[in-house]
Amino acid sequence: MGMKGIDIASYQAGIDLTSVPCDFVIVKATGGTGYVNPDFRRALGQAVSSGKKVGVYHYARERGCPGSAAEEAAFFLEHVKDYIGSAILALDWEEEVNLGVSWAKEWLDEVWNRTGVKPMIYMSKSVCRGFDWSTVVESDYGLWAAQYASGSPTGYQEQPWTDTEGFGAWGEPAIFQYSGSGRLPGWNGKLDLNLAYMNDAAWDKYACPAEKAKRRDAVLAEQNGKDTQLFFMEEEDDGYFRIKSKAEGMYLTVPEGKAVNGAVLEFIGNKADGGQLWKLTDKTYGHARYTLLETKNATGKYMSAEENGEKPGSRLKLWDDLRHDKQKFWVKRAEDGSYIFVHIHSLKVMEAA
């Protein structure tokens, strides 16, 4: 049977979601690097308060404000950060499909790396078959597919029509949008109608999988003395260290397969790979000593702050040796034997947020 629901954008601004029958609502939040749906917060709040499952989506390459995949992912997450962990996240891929799979996968990967939540991707069924999406499927990104039997008005359908030619690399979609001309009580206009092949528990798993609870962002923050800013250094036989958060026992990690410039660092559970091994190289800074943190996964790449490293919440990333203060840290020992990593450039400290 599945769950019945709608997706909405600014075209449905003001819709009363307490009156429209639906199990779930997916709301357009952003597009490109400059568009924000002015009604998305109101609509989401109303949907949540009325007990409906929710999702948010980003329209890729919005006309007038397209950006790179990383830029658009960051823009989306900045505006939906209050809903991460409770809403399904999705990329609407239809504006410039000829950019191919790589742009879409980069956006999906960026959202996954920043949040620990696997986003979905929306596309027409013909686009599923028109490109090789195997790398996206192998990375476990779910499909929200669209195909309409006609443009005639319709209500919810238990078994909507779809052709027999398959969904490309996906065996089946997680959500199927079968009409753009839906008619439901409570709204005097067209609605997109969807059938989600899941129950409430499965929806919650898409929105907040168990893995998310085991991940924390590696960021810079104002020093406050909390355990999230204290770390133990566990030395290996070869002189490398694992940097373990005192708060939850997670380790500073270069995500698997991401030992490249700009890779976003995070804290996860213990894994036996080089992505959690760091070499602390002491150097002189004026009359003081400072430390560079080099990953074993990629010789010559160091922990570095984002360009806006002065701002609390700035992510820590991996980069080549910049010979710049953005990569320099003072490592200070606390009374309990743990350590504090102070960023020289900003005087903020590393935190497992």
Side-chain angles (χ1 to χ4, degrees):
M1 294 287 290
M3 301 167 64
K4 300 171 183 176
I6 61 175
D7 62 274
I8 60 175
S10 59
Y11 303 111
Q12 289 84 23
I15 187 172
D16 182 0
L17 294 170
T18 65
S19 300
V20 177
C22 53
D23 299 318
F24 65 87
V25 182
I26 306 176
V27 184
K28 179 178 181 178
T30 57
T33 58
Y35 175 78
V36 179
N37 175 3
D39 196 48
F40 97 90
R41 289 186 180 276
R42 182 209 65 82
L44 274 175
Q46 190 178 69
V48 170
S49 65
S50 59
K52 304 182 190 302
K53 296 300 181 183
V54 296
V56 286
Y57 75 87
H58 173 83
Y59 190 89
R61 307 286 292 176
E62 182 93 30
R63 294 183 185 182
C65 54
S68 69
E71 290 169 340
E72 293 201 17
F75 182 75
F76 171 65
L77 293 176
E78 174 62 26
H79 289 280
V80 302
K81 58 187 177 184
D82 294 340
Y83 308 98
I84 294 172
S86 60
I88 282 179
L89 310 178
L91 175 67
D92 186 338
W93 184 242
E94 58 182 295
E95 183 64 36
E96 294 184 87
V97 295
N98 288 330
L99 283 175
V101 174
S102 61
W103 194 104
K105 187 173 186 298
E106 184 179 350
W107 188 97
L108 297 166
D109 287 345
E110 186 74 8
V111 170
W112 159 240
N113 287 331
R114 283 176 172 261
T115 66
V117 176
K118 291 277 188 180
M120 289 187 179
I121 184 167
Y122 168 94
M123 65 184 76
S124 71
K125 194 172 180 181
S126 61
V127 175
C128 296
R129 300 190 292 250
F131 297 84
D132 180 4
W133 293 97
S134 57
T135 58
V136 172
V137 175
E138 289 164 4
S139 296
D140 199 27
Y141 297 121
L143 174 64
W144 175 16
Q147 188 180 45
Y148 303 162
S150 71
S152 301
T154 181
Y156 286 128
Q157 298 178 25
E158 300 285 350
Q159 295 181 312
W161 171 87
T162 185
D163 66 34
T164 59
E165 298 178 33
F167 293 87
W170 286 278
E172 58 185 10
I175 303 174
F176 183 54
Q177 184 192 88
Y178 54 87
S179 177
S181 304
R183 295 286 182 172
L184 296 175
W187 179 250
N188 188 26
K190 294 181 179 180
L191 290 168
D192 292 341
L193 302 185
N194 300 266
L195 181 62
Y197 300 102
M198 63 184 83
N199 57 21
D200 284 3
W203 186 282
D204 291 341
K205 188 173 181 180
Y206 271 109
C208 186
E211 290 82 356
K212 182 179 185 296
K214 300 176 184 178
R215 295 174 180 267
R216 294 291 182 269
D217 292 340
V219 302
L220 292 176
E222 298 287 356
Q223 187 170 346
N224 57 32
K226 293 182 179 179
D227 286 353
T228 54
Q229 298 180 349
L230 298 175
F231 303 92
F232 295 105
M233 292 194 292
E234 301 177 347
E235 188 171 8
E236 300 285 311
D237 292 339
D238 58 3
Y240 282 87
F241 290 83
R242 293 183 189 273
I243 299 173
K244 180 181 180 180
S245 166
K246 181 180 178 180
E248 298 181 73
M250 292 183 291
Y251 293 83
L252 181 65
T253 303
V254 180
E256 188 173 355
K258 294 291 184 179
V260 297
N261 283 347
V264 176
L265 305 182
E266 61 190 7
F267 287 89
I268 66 172
N270 193 7
K271 293 180 68 177
D273 64 38
Q276 292 188 333
L277 296 177
W278 299 86
K279 181 187 292 184
L280 279 61
T281 303
D282 291 333
K283 292 182 178 287
T284 300
Y285 177 74
H287 297 292
R289 302 288 286 176
Y290 67 88
T291 299
L292 297 179
L293 284 83
E294 180 181 13
T295 176
K296 187 174 184 178
N297 250 15
T299 301
K301 294 192 185 296
Y302 301 84
M303 186 165 77
S304 180
E306 289 183 318
E307 290 297 331
N308 60 342
E310 296 83 357
K311 181 181 177 182
S314 296
R315 298 296 302 268
L316 292 170
K317 295 187 174 184
L318 200 66
W319 212 271
D320 293 328
D321 187 356
L322 297 171
R323 302 184 184 278
H324 190 281
D325 287 353
K326 288 196 304 181
Q327 293 179 322
K328 297 174 181 177
F329 291 82
W330 286 303
V331 182
K332 297 185 176 182
R333 188 178 175 89
E335 292 181 358
D336 63 355
S338 63
Y339 292 84
I340 304 167
F341 291 82
V342 182
H343 187 235
I344 288 177
H345 185 69
S346 65
L347 300 182
K348 306 293 188 297
V349 300
M350 182 168 71
E351 181 172 52

